Amino acid sequence: MSLTKILTFVFLAIAIGIAYYLFDRIKFSIEEEERIAAVEAQVINKLKFIRDAELLYKEANGQYTSDWNKLIGFLDTGRLYIVQRREITTLLEYGAEETTIEIDTLDQIPVRDTLFHTPVYNNFKIENIASIPHSGRQFNLFADKISRNNVEVDVFEVVDTAPVNPARRGEESIKGPLRVGSRTEVNTRGNWE
């Protein structure tokens, strides 16, 4: 065997090795991006569920909660009232109008029936609402009142404390961890919307 044939086989083996290595790295990157996207989709669904739960809690109690146990108890045993509001306008003798508002409570329904009627939320377990999918850690839940234009308003924020996406980790990250609501603004949107 000549030196040319030996070098050809050696370089061919090296080229096949490099091609396999590059193929494997690209395949791993694609699979990792798909895994991150799937986990983030689960986190986003859970954040939407928590947002809906907080909005219902505020509707029933007049404010948001920062206590997971209160939120879980409300979702498990809480009730919402169905009310009918009527406005009756009567014309007074001197041409002015008087409006009377009547509010009647018609019925009450469990929060569980209100929130879990959509197929998206059927698989959620109330007792696991605070846990972040695939991490074992808990979301950070914050609720308080802030002053805006001399008016006290309620705010809440739920933050993913264990982002699976490396681009969302750390204080200097551009995207920041997944979150819904805001501590400083009157906002119930998520940062993915």
Side-chain angles (χ1 to χ4, degrees), residues 140-158:
N140 183 5
L141 178 63
F142 172 84
D144 202 3
K145 293 185 180 294
I146 61 170
S147 179
R148 285 286 175 254
N149 298 328
N150 296 325
V151 176
E152 291 283 316
V153 291
D154 292 302
V155 294
F156 79 95
E157 181 182 63
V158 184

Side-chain angles (χ1 to χ4, degrees), residues 39 53 58 77 84 95 102 125 135 153 189:
V39 171
K58 182 177 186 233
T77 61
Q84 178 182 21
E102 294 179 357
K125 292 184 174 26
S135 79
V153 291
R189 293 178 48 112

Side-chain angles (χ1 to χ4, degrees), residues 49 53 57 68-79 109-113 115-116 125-127 129:
F49 177 78
Y57 187 91
W68 286 114
N69 293 327
K70 285 182 181 178
L71 189 60
I72 290 168
F74 172 71
L75 292 173
D76 195 30
T77 61
R79 302 187 80 66
I109 56 172
V111 173
R112 187 180 285 267
D113 292 346
L115 199 54
F116 291 102
K125 292 184 174 26
I126 294 174
E127 61 274 2
I129 189 174

Side-chain angles (χ1 to χ4, degrees), residues 17-32:
I18 291 173
Y20 176 76
Y21 174 77
L22 291 175
F23 172 78
D24 189 52
R25 293 302 302 162
I26 292 170
K27 181 181 172 195
F28 175 78
S29 295
I30 292 171
E31 288 172 350
E32 185 66 12

Side-chain angles (χ1 to χ4, degrees), residues 22-192:
L22 291 175
F23 172 78
D24 189 52
R25 293 302 302 162
I26 292 170
K27 181 181 172 195
F28 175 78
S29 295
I30 292 171
E31 288 172 350
E32 185 66 12
E33 285 180 17
E34 289 173 352
R35 185 187 72 79
I36 288 171
V39 171
E40 280 196 344
Q42 291 176 351
V43 171
I44 288 170
N45 282 338
K46 196 159 227 191
L47 287 171
K48 288 178 182 178
F49 177 78
I50 295 169
R51 172 179 53 197
D52 292 346
E54 280 281 3
L55 292 171
L56 285 175
Y57 187 91
K58 182 177 186 233
E59 184 179 318
N61 298 300
Q63 63 185 14
Y64 298 116
T65 183
S66 60
D67 184 357
W68 286 114
N69 293 327
K70 285 182 181 178
L71 189 60
I72 290 168
F74 172 71
L75 292 173
D76 195 30
T77 61
R79 302 187 80 66
L80 294 173
Y81 296 97
I82 299 173
V83 296
Q84 178 182 21
R85 178 181 169 167
R86 289 185 301 221
E87 293 183 11
I88 301 168
T89 304
T90 55
L91 187 60
L92 300 175
E93 293 177 11
Y94 48 89
E97 292 180 344
E98 178 183 64
T99 303
T100 306
I101 299 173
E102 294 179 357
I103 299 176
D104 293 331
T105 302
L106 302 176
D107 197 5
Q108 56 180 322
I109 56 172
V111 173
R112 187 180 285 267
D113 292 346
T114 303
L115 199 54
F116 291 102
H117 74 280
T118 59
V120 175
Y121 296 151
N122 283 342
N123 296 329
F124 282 150
K125 292 184 174 26
I126 294 174
E127 61 274 2
N128 295 334
I129 189 174
S131 65
I132 300 170
H134 300 282
S135 79
R137 295 180 64 186
Q138 282 194 340
F139 288 105
N140 183 5
L141 178 63
F142 172 84
D144 202 3
K145 293 185 180 294
I146 61 170
S147 179
R148 285 286 175 254
N149 298 328
N150 296 325
V151 176
E152 291 283 316
V153 291
D154 292 302
V155 294
F156 79 95
E157 181 182 63
V158 184
V159 179
D160 177 4
T161 58
V164 69
N165 187 346
R168 294 189 181 279
R169 293 185 196 144
E171 295 297 321
E172 65 280 347
S173 70
I174 295 172
K175 292 182 176 181
L178 289 170
R179 72 181 63 230
V180 66
S182 173
R183 290 177 184 242
T184 58
E185 299 295 325
V186 182
N187 179 8
T188 60
R189 293 178 48 112
N191 63 346
W192 66 88

